[in-house]
Amino acid sequence: MDTQGTSLDSASCAIEHKAFARVGLLGNPSDVYYGRTISFTLGNFWASVRLQPSEELVIQPHPTHDLVQFRSLDHLVNRLNNEGYYGGVRLLMAICKVFHNYCKDNKIDIHGKKFTLSYDTNIPRQTGLSGSSAIVCAALSCLLDFYRVRHLIKVEVRPKLVLAAEKELGIVAGLQDRVAQVYGGLVYMDFSKEYMDDLGHGIYTPMDISLLPPLYLIYAENPSDSGKVHSTVRQRWLSGDEFIISSMIKVANIAKEGRKTLLEKDYSELAKLMNHNFDLRRSMFGDDALGALNIKMVEVARKVGAASKFTGSGGAVVAFCPDGPPQVKLLEDECRKAGFIVVPVEVVPSCLNADELQTLKI
């Protein structure tokens, strides 16, 4: 967006982008182990970032998520217990740094224009729905448009920039979530070592969202932290643990089989793959790492015969009811009894435009 000749306080100069929550349908967490995954963007929840040209560069704190004024010490402590220490300001700062350095390293001119960044989000915290990366992804989109460099930074490179910003902050994650949020819609991802080594990224294939059956999201209002789940398994994998290596290959193959299953709309097989995905994860990570509450969400769904697995690292579950509406009613009843929230999944179509699709070259 060109701001030359336009008043900096004009609202018409503002750029705003959304990035949606992400559901890992099959193959997670093999994305950080040279595996394969299938993910989609969830229209139920999103983060939005607004960029407004300004005289100074300002990162604006969110009135709720970056709260620094409290009614009392009790209020402060309760807020930290429920929301943690970090809001979104650090995420916006990190992507600004990564974006600046990438442009500098690749001789992309971004001039000296200044702006104010602000954000909002309704993605529930610690639900494994990629709330942090959604904020970063939306901010990156604003920067691409503000500096008019969207055509110079290829689509398949952008998830790496989002991940790099989060790694600046010590956030443990893989590329899957960022690919899903950059591309939007339903995406099959292949992170095979040969691609990662040769290209620096995986091969990402958008799929038609109409291939998905009706799905349901189950989550808890007070979930466990999703940032601790990979740690032990990652070290064992790096140390050459045969059980972890072979199990992770099986998880990756579930996504490969799942792509074929979706293309054929073989939903009974999809249900089996979803359940097998979770069972493999459980065998690798163990119940203590996964957390009792997270396991209970899966078991509540399975109690009524629904297929279920984590959307990410815990905190939320994606469920499929192969027997249709009567089974959905049973699922809703059981979730309510257990104190869980269950909502129909809204899948967001791909957000890429025709020009961006042209950049998808190996």
Side-chain angles (χ1 to χ4, degrees):
M1 181 175 291
D2 188 359
T3 60
Q4 292 182 357
T6 305
S7 172
L8 290 181
D9 63 358
S10 171
S12 63
C13 296
I15 299 166
E16 188 166 342
H17 280 286
K18 279 184 179 180
F20 293 90
R22 178 279 302 126
V23 169
L25 182 64
L26 293 172
N28 56 312
S30 75
D31 58 311
V32 289
Y33 304 93
Y34 298 120
R36 304 178 189 90
T37 64
I38 297 175
S39 297
F40 61 83
T41 38
L42 180 69
N44 306 64
F45 303 111
W46 62 87
S48 61
V49 173
R50 180 183 173 89
L51 185 153
Q52 178 78 41
S54 56
E55 298 291 350
E56 301 294 334
L57 202 158
V58 179
I59 307 296
Q60 203 166 75
H62 190 278
T64 301
H65 304 304
D66 298 290
L67 195 62
V68 292
Q69 185 173 336
F70 304 91
R71 294 188 302 274
S72 66
L73 195 56
D74 282 340
H75 181 210
L76 182 150
V77 172
N78 288 335
R79 167 66 170 68
L80 294 179
N81 287 339
N82 293 326
E83 301 289 333
Y85 285 88
Y86 303 117
V89 164
R90 63 181 186 141
L91 297 167
L92 298 180
M93 288 183 173
I95 189 58
C96 285
K97 176 184 176 183
V98 167
F99 174 77
H100 169 273
N101 289 347
Y102 180 86
C103 290
K104 184 177 179 182
D105 292 344
N106 290 275
K107 296 180 172 55
I108 297 173
D109 186 6
I110 53 174
H111 315 294
K113 298 192 294 183
K114 287 174 263 191
F115 53 83
T116 294
L117 274 183
S118 59
Y119 78 98
D120 197 5
T121 180
N122 65 2
I123 301 174
R125 288 177 59 85
Q126 297 181 354
T127 50
L129 295 172
S130 302
S132 294
S133 58
I135 294 171
V136 179
C137 185
L140 176 60
S141 286
C142 288
L143 293 170
L144 293 174
D145 286 344
F146 181 64
Y147 288 106
R148 292 184 165 187
V149 294
R150 188 172 286 273
H151 63 294
L152 297 176
I153 301 179
K154 295 203 294 185
V155 176
E156 59 265 38
V157 170
R158 295 175 202 167
K160 289 181 63 180
L161 300 183
V162 176
L163 183 59
E166 294 181 273
K167 284 187 173 180
E168 285 273 328
L169 304 169
I171 294 173
V172 178
L175 275 169
Q176 172 193 210
D177 305 359
R178 291 89 206 148
V179 173
Q181 290 170 321
V182 166
Y183 282 60
L186 178 65
V187 188
Y188 172 73
M189 312 170 204
D190 189 336
F191 300 100
S192 296
K193 192 173 189 300
E194 59 183 293
Y195 299 140
M196 298 301 291
D197 288 347
D198 293 347
L199 306 173
H201 56 78
I203 299 298
Y204 313 133
T205 308
M207 300 177 68
D208 191 333
I209 62 172
S210 68
L211 296 171
L212 291 171
L215 298 169
Y216 293 84
L217 180 74
I218 303 168
Y219 64 100
E221 288 190 273
N222 297 298
S224 60
D225 185 7
S226 67
K228 301 174 183 176
V229 178
H230 295 306
S231 56
T232 304
V233 169
R234 179 72 178 170
Q235 190 55 51
R236 290 168 65 189
W237 182 81
L238 289 170
S239 300
D241 186 307
E242 290 184 9
F243 172 71
I244 296 299
I245 291 172
S246 62
S247 296
M248 207 59 77
I249 290 171
K250 290 176 184 176
V251 172
N253 284 335
I254 283 175
K256 186 177 181 181
E257 294 169 29
R259 183 188 182 197
K260 180 174 180 288
T261 297
L262 286 173
L263 290 170
E264 295 173 353
K265 294 193 175 183
D266 184 352
Y267 297 138
S268 61
E269 183 62 23
L270 174 64
K272 294 175 186 175
L273 292 174
M274 289 174 66
N275 284 331
H276 190 33
N277 198 149
F278 176 77
D279 292 342
L280 285 169
R281 175 190 277 270
R282 190 174 188 178
S283 70
M284 287 187 285
F285 288 93
D287 287 6
D288 287 343
L290 296 190
L293 188 68
N294 292 323
I295 293 170
K296 186 178 179 183
M297 281 189 281
V298 171
E299 291 179 340
V300 162
R302 290 190 176 185
K303 182 178 179 181
V304 302
S308 58
K309 63 176 293 294
F310 288 177
T311 61
S313 300
V317 162
V318 58
F320 169 48
C321 296
D323 296 337
Q327 192 175 39
V328 172
K329 180 65 167 62
L330 292 173
L331 176 66
E332 291 171 342
D333 291 344
E334 288 299 323
C335 285
R336 187 164 51 252
K337 289 178 193 173
F340 298 135
I341 299 166
V342 57
V343 295
V345 160
E346 300 170 18
V347 185
V348 180
S350 176
C351 53
L352 299 180
N353 59 43
D355 291 338
E356 289 172 319
L357 288 170
Q358 289 299 316
T359 73
L360 298 180
K361 297 176 182 177
I362 298 175

